[in-house]
Amino acid sequence: MRIAAFTRGLNCFSRIKTFPYPYGYTQCRALSDSKTIVSNEAVVPVLIVGAGPVGLVLSILLTKLGIKCSVLEKNKAFSTHPQAHFINNRSMEVFRKLDGLAEEIERSQPPVDLWRKFIYCTSLTGPVLGSVDHMQPQDFEKVVSPVSVAHFSQYKLNKLLLKQLEKLNFKICTSEGMEGLHSHFLQGREILMGHECVSVSATDQCINVIASFLKEGKCTERNIQCNILIGTDGAGSTVRKLVGIDLVGEKDLQKLVSVHFLSKDLGDYLLNERPGMLFFIFNTEAIGVLVAHDLKEGEFILQVPFYPPQQNLEDFSPEICEKLIFKLVGWELSDVDVIDIKPWVMHAEVAEKFLCCDNQIILAGDACHRFPPAGGFGMNTGIQDAHNLAWKIASVLQDIAPASILNTYETERKPIAEFNTALSVQNFRAAMEVPSALGLDPTIANSVHHLINRVAGSVLPSVLQKALLEGIFKVGRAQLSESLLNESNPLGSSRLTKLRHIFEEGKSLQLQFPAEDLGFRYLKGALVPDSNCEVGAPEAPTGHRRDFVPSANPGSRLPHMNVRVLSTEIISTLDLVSGDKVEFLLIIAPVEESYHLARAALKVAEDFKVPTKVCVLWPAGTTNEVEFRSAAELAPWKNYIDVEEVKRSSDSLSWWRICKMTDMGAILVRPDDHIAWRSKSGVSGNPKLEMEMAFSAVLGIKPVNVEGTTQP
């Protein structure tokens, strides 16, 4: 049997504690709007620390937008621990921009019927207490989104992201094979493996980073200069700690041990008998949650509660984990292969700020928010951080917008992170409803553990503490005995009835949150709120699945509708927004006033040097006029596209009805698919002044006077 070490990638970095400045201290000077970005071969424009999904997605997005970047990763090799595995609608929409990535995930993931359910049972071969199907018919109809959710392990996603980066000419460099790189400046498009960021300082010109790596068995340091440093280095972010940014929220919600193992026999059995994504297993000998990452490959993660210091990692040796697996499965598997065993702690925290050093240092992903895994918000929120951030960085480095636009990253994304934190905690609490209904209240278990630590910790030897804890838990698990948990026993019958109500009323752990996944909205930031509409606080999370209702409010993600390009290909309205350059999109109907507005917008965009394209969206069945009218109305500009609505049925809503607007309206869309400005029923005043106001407010650009210079 192949047994991997409990921890991987241990190197000299764990011993490095030498910083040129006190830990938590960073020299900072302003990256003001008047500051000139350094542009020479000694300075990489963007340095990303952390090569997880968020860092890799951000590097792809930036590179596609024409921004050079390099990536530091402290581990010598990419992890094969499955970790996150649920990709929500919005993240899949982002992946559609990455040269077929969403389609490749859809082809590579397990069939949806193998992972749509959560199953609650006494063992994998024993009685089923209940099951919840998390997929509804509308999830497959692609009405509100051009793509569905996916179940795809994080390490497999990383492999696909690396393939994308290789196509973009990125090089993966190890510390052992860096002879040519060691004496030269970074050129961009490198991923430096085995490099840990150990120091950060800022000057008037750039950010100085010291990275430590192992070279021929010795710890070596490399000095790297960059214009912008981005920490995507996970929940224990070194960058966040170096710059002294604190996290706010609930710590230590739960401690667990994650056991990664393979068993083709178990995969085959579940595939044929009870396929699902998550299996919540409760019996008198053990309690755990099994995550089926791939039933066909027989790849699993077992999550079990962990109670240190009475328990330690030695209590979860590969041999002990095998026995634990057998207890939860219900029989002794002959092919179990324990790959990895890792302890981890569940938190619900958000960084007090996402930027520092006047926008030169930025945090994204788990580095600035860490959630309970319930609902899969962690990786997905991070990917959407990257999508929000990439076009803003490109706008600054390409002189489209001043550095102040980076402030809107925190303004927009921090409230989303706080909302998703609250929703994740609600969903985690919902997951605890099931064991509570069975007589296993997790809060009591935690209270008992705290009591032992507080009272017995200084009195009893550790061996007796451990025996006391296990004895108490064994008494608790007795609530799950077959003699008690059955319909003939009044107490057992009552508990099973309560359990059924939890499942029927949707009060257990949920997988999908369409209203939140697609419907999150920025209320302030790089946008123009409706002038006649007071924006209130977002609706508080309910913890229950709610359907997504499309919206064209400023700050919302552009609604999806299928459209046809000049009687040829059918695409989504989201595909009208370019993923290869910083470009705004103005959507209008083919009416005279809107063409007039579009001409004004193109002129203003030209004056402001902001790439902009016009989309003329025609009603279904009116393509006979398309080719000539837009060309005449928008001349001399050529940066426009004509598309026609594709209705699903004769009674389907038109585009403008979906948006709750008239066809006299117009929508300005940002490069990240979010609506920057709109006019619901036409512009009453001077269209040029209106568009100057819109672009000025969104990008922080001062208006241009008649001589073509910016006004003071």
Side-chain angles (χ1 to χ4, degrees), residues 83-86 88 118 235 247-256 278 280 291 303 344-350 365-366 368-382 416-432 509-511 513 517:
Q83 297 175 279
H85 56 96
F86 179 68
N88 70 18
F118 291 176
L247 293 164
V248 178
E250 296 184 70
K251 294 182 183 294
D252 298 343
L253 288 173
Q254 190 175 20
K255 293 181 175 69
L256 300 107
L278 299 186
F280 299 81
V291 185
Q303 305 282 10
W344 64 283
V345 183
M346 186 186 300
H347 305 285
E349 299 175 297
V350 177
D366 287 355
C368 57
H369 45 69
R370 45 193 196 180
F371 314 140
F377 287 98
M379 180 180 72
N380 289 295
T381 305
I416 303 301
E418 291 170 339
F419 183 95
N420 287 350
T421 301
L423 184 53
S424 296
V425 171
Q426 278 190 341
N427 206 24
F428 169 67
R429 305 287 187 213
M432 298 300 101
L509 179 71
Q510 299 298 299
L511 176 65
F513 293 88
D517 292 344

Side-chain angles (χ1 to χ4, degrees), residues 111 147 176 212 319 432 491 498 524:
V147 66
E176 289 79 8
S212 180
E319 292 77 17
M432 298 300 101
L491 179 58
K498 185 177 180 180
K524 297 179 181 178

Side-chain angles (χ1 to χ4, degrees), residues 429-476:
R429 305 287 187 213
M432 298 300 101
E433 290 294 316
V434 171
S436 295
L438 295 172
L440 299 169
D441 190 337
T443 60
I444 295 178
N446 290 332
S447 297
V448 168
H449 183 228
H450 292 320
L451 183 65
I452 291 175
N453 287 336
R454 188 171 65 250
V455 177
S458 59
V459 179
L460 295 178
S462 58
V463 174
L464 290 181
Q465 290 183 48
K466 182 176 180 180
L468 176 62
L469 184 71
E470 177 53 36
I472 293 171
F473 287 169
K474 187 174 182 179
V475 171

Side-chain angles (χ1 to χ4, degrees), residues 478-615:
Q479 305 289 316
L480 303 168
S481 66
E482 291 183 12
S483 61
L484 177 60
L485 197 61
N486 65 73
E487 295 291 354
S488 300
N489 185 298
L491 179 58
S493 177
S494 172
R495 288 175 173 175
L496 292 172
T497 299
K498 185 177 180 180
L499 196 61
R500 284 193 293 271
H501 288 160
I502 289 173
F503 296 142
E504 291 166 359
E505 295 168 12
K507 293 182 179 179
S508 60
L509 179 71
Q510 299 298 299
L511 176 65
Q512 289 209 71
F513 293 88
E516 289 77 18
D517 292 344
L518 292 172
F520 66 86
R521 178 188 176 193
Y522 306 135
L523 301 181
K524 297 179 181 178
L527 55 92
V528 183
D530 284 340
S531 57
N532 59 348
C533 180
E534 187 172 328
V535 178
E539 186 177 348
T542 65
H544 301 296
R545 172 175 173 143
R546 296 182 298 169
D547 288 335
F548 167 65
V549 179
S551 169
N553 289 320
S556 298
R557 161 262 203 192
L558 181 70
H560 156 71
M561 183 182 193
N562 283 333
V563 294
R564 182 177 286 107
V565 181
L566 285 180
S567 301
T568 55
E569 62 175 332
I570 294 177
I571 62 173
S572 167
T573 45
L574 296 167
D575 298 327
L576 297 167
V577 182
S578 175
D580 298 323
K581 55 185 173 181
V582 176
E583 181 181 70
F584 283 74
L585 177 74
L586 181 69
I587 301 177
I588 63 169
V591 298
E592 181 59 40
E593 293 83 353
S594 296
Y595 278 122
H596 187 36
L597 177 69
R599 291 194 298 271
L602 291 170
K603 180 64 173 72
V604 170
E606 183 179 68
D607 293 341
F608 282 5
K609 298 180 173 58
V610 179
T612 302
K613 179 173 66 178
V614 170
C615 169

Side-chain angles (χ1 to χ4, degrees), residues 26-81:
T26 303
Q27 289 185 324
C28 295
R29 300 186 182 217
L31 177 61
S32 65
D33 288 345
S34 60
K35 178 178 175 180
T36 301
I37 298 293
V38 175
S39 179
N40 61 56
E41 66 174 8
V43 181
V44 64
V46 177
L47 182 66
I48 299 169
V49 178
V54 177
L56 296 179
V57 168
L58 181 58
S59 61
I60 294 171
L61 291 170
L62 287 171
T63 303
K64 286 171 68 65
L65 293 174
I67 301 301
K68 285 185 178 181
C69 61
S70 296
V71 183
L72 302 183
E73 169 54 48
K74 69 178 180 180
N75 293 305
K76 293 181 179 180
F78 289 97
S79 173
T80 57
H81 201 82

Side-chain angles (χ1 to χ4, degrees), residues 27 164 181 270 277 279 372 578 585 657 686 699:
Q27 289 185 324
Q164 293 269 336
L181 190 63
L270 292 175
M277 176 191 283
F279 297 84
S578 175
L585 177 74
R657 289 284 302 280
N686 185 318
L699 295 172

